Amino acid sequence: MRLVQITDCHLHADPAAKGRLGVPLRQLEAVIEAVNRERPDRVVVSGDISQDETAASYELAERTLSRLDAPWCWLPGNHDRTDLMAECRALPDELDLGDWRALLLDTQVRGREGGELGAERRAALEARLAGDDRPTLLFLHHPPLPVGTAWLDAIGLADAEAFWGLIAPHRQVRAVCFGHVHQAFEGAKPLADRRVAVYGCPASSDQFLPGATTFALDEAAWPGYRLLELGPGALETRVVRVAP
């Protein structure tokens, strides 16, 4: 099973609108072209689909992402309007990946850049994990641990400690994949009996500078995506960058 993560498209209603460094639509189109060459089985788009939070931006995103040659789904980020997303395309909470599965988590808190699952969504996640012991990936927008970029670490997952406490007894959780940080990241969360892999993904739009104390762009880094290969109980992954 070959899975691709795309994240942080930041599209505007105007297809020609510029981001900080490039044109988000053109950047996304280049990423989609590269992803199609990978021949993935599924694609997950992990939030911040829109920059201006307009219905037209989601319609543009849906049309553009539908150029993917594989089934795709999306989940919301802090910039998104879930009601407008759902009008364009459903917001599933789970993907059946055969021997594996992926759970798609909503960490959005309206009006805040940072995210949180909250008690109700944590309880729902607990129930879903208890009901299936297949190897599992978790996708969410906000990072559940520090990435070493101070201003981003301040707007990560607010209830990360409770999240990891929930994950700890569920050994089938093999990796957690997030967006939001506009940079590649590979780390792990130590638990009592194991370490859970944690992966961040470059944006399909502009990139943020790793290690920065305050907001800074990485003008040298290209847009990209993350490729995940799921085998019998094994996971391999890499980041792919796409020339603008």
Side-chain angles (χ1 to χ4, degrees):
M1 175 67 65
R2 174 170 286 189
L3 186 66
V4 164
Q5 179 189 7
I6 298 173
T7 196
D8 293 271
C9 310
H10 290 278
L11 297 181
H12 299 254
D14 178 3
K18 293 183 178 180
R20 295 182 176 92
L21 296 176
V23 177
L25 177 61
R26 303 293 173 246
Q27 293 167 316
L28 177 60
E29 288 173 333
V31 166
I32 288 172
E33 184 177 345
V35 168
N36 281 340
R37 290 195 292 269
E38 305 278 7
R39 298 184 179 276
D41 298 293
R42 299 284 190 279
V43 178
V44 175
V45 188
S46 56
D48 279 3
I49 312 301
S50 172
Q51 177 63 27
D52 60 13
E53 301 184 31
T54 61
S57 69
Y58 292 107
E59 291 164 2
L60 177 61
E62 201 278 336
R63 290 196 305 272
T64 305
L65 290 165
S66 291
R67 299 178 195 172
L68 287 162
D69 292 336
W72 64 274
C73 62
W74 55 13
L75 58 91
N78 51 290
H79 279 279
D80 287 316
R81 285 270 306 272
T82 53
D83 56 335
L84 297 179
M85 289 176 72
E87 288 176 8
C88 285
R89 193 178 186 91
L91 291 161
D93 60 10
E94 183 168 341
L95 293 180
D96 185 342
L97 305 175
D99 292 336
W100 287 69
R101 68 172 178 156
L103 302 183
L104 312 181
L105 310 181
D106 180 359
T107 57
Q108 185 194 80
V109 181
R110 287 296 296 169
R112 282 170 42 185
E113 290 186 297
E116 186 175 3
L117 277 169
E120 184 175 341
R121 291 185 290 204
R122 289 199 306 272
L125 174 58
E126 173 75 48
R128 290 157 68 195
L129 288 172
D132 193 326
D133 62 0
R134 282 179 294 170
T136 299
L137 300 176
L138 302 181
F139 283 91
L140 67 169
H141 184 70
H142 294 88
L145 80 182
V147 300
T149 301
W151 70 275
L152 288 169
D153 290 340
I155 54 171
L157 188 68
D159 55 351
E161 183 175 353
F163 169 78
W164 288 114
L166 184 159
I167 297 303
H170 296 285
R171 295 182 59 84
Q172 74 269 38
V173 176
R174 302 299 176 83
V176 179
C177 301
F178 62 87
H180 192 55
V181 299
H182 291 233
Q183 59 189 248
F185 176 84
E186 291 194 13
K189 173 65 177 179
L191 299 176
D193 58 350
R194 69 194 190 283
R195 293 167 64 86
V196 177
V198 183
Y199 300 114
C201 184
S204 72
S205 55
D206 300 329
Q207 310 304 299
F208 296 155
L209 185 65
T213 302
T214 58
F215 176 85
L217 294 170
D218 188 346
E219 298 188 21
W222 291 350
Y225 57 91
R226 180 171 289 281
L227 178 68
L228 300 107
E229 301 272 11
L230 309 179
L235 165 66
E236 295 183 2
T237 184
R238 59 185 170 88
V239 162
V240 181
R241 299 285 185 169
V242 179

